[in-house]
Amino acid sequence: MNESLTRPAFAYSSGLQPGPKMFSDLAPLTDAVTLSVDGQPVRARAGETVAACLLRAGVPYNRLTPVSGAPRLPYCMIGHCFECLVEIDGIGNRQACLTLVRDGMKVRRQDGAPPALEPSVP
């Protein structure tokens, strides 16, 4: 498997540094799809959630909070906490833990809150 498709070279902002990889595959990826995360290709298992894919890929955060800019990762993984919000295919504030991956999906981490009435800019 091509390592560049599983561990993207994300641009770390706000002084974040990549840490040790906490999640890994238990078996080879079968029925893999490729999605784009902040412009970097990432392979995912068909049927898994965007949040699980991002955690396995070692993405250091899903979003930065609007007030303090603190980084956030998924917490509950069942849609209650809203810590996993990302932009998916140009639509902001999507819950990554409730959204299944699909081939060609474009995911962007959120930097604060996107404007409510303006379309997001790629």
Side-chain angles (χ1 to χ4, degrees), residues 50-72:
V50 172
C53 172
L54 298 179
L55 288 170
R56 190 184 61 256
V59 176
Y61 64 89
N62 282 23
R63 69 181 182 97
L64 300 177
T65 59
V67 176
S68 70
R72 297 291 194 214

Side-chain angles (χ1 to χ4, degrees), residues 3-122:
E3 184 66 21
S4 68
L5 288 179
T6 53
R7 188 105 172 145
F10 289 99
Y12 298 99
S13 62
S14 303
L16 294 174
Q17 297 298 317
K21 190 172 178 184
M22 294 180 64
F23 301 94
S24 61
D25 291 319
L26 296 176
L29 283 176
T30 56
D31 300 326
V33 298
T34 302
L35 57 144
S36 167
V37 179
D38 290 341
Q40 301 291 321
V42 175
R43 287 173 43 97
R45 183 172 278 111
E48 76 178 342
T49 64
V50 172
C53 172
L54 298 179
L55 288 170
R56 190 184 61 256
V59 176
Y61 64 89
N62 282 23
R63 69 181 182 97
L64 300 177
T65 59
V67 176
S68 70
R72 297 291 194 214
L73 280 169
Y75 180 69
C76 72
M77 297 296 281
I78 58 173
H80 290 192
C81 71
F82 294 90
E83 295 295 338
C84 65
L85 296 178
V86 293
E87 180 183 300
I88 298 175
D89 293 329
I91 301 170
N93 294 325
R94 300 284 307 272
Q95 289 177 279
C97 71
L98 298 179
T99 306
L100 298 179
V101 297
R102 63 185 152 62
D103 200 39
M105 177 182 274
K106 291 181 180 12
V107 177
R108 288 177 39 134
R109 296 179 293 169
Q110 288 190 177
D111 186 9
L117 301 175
E118 297 178 25
S120 54
V121 179

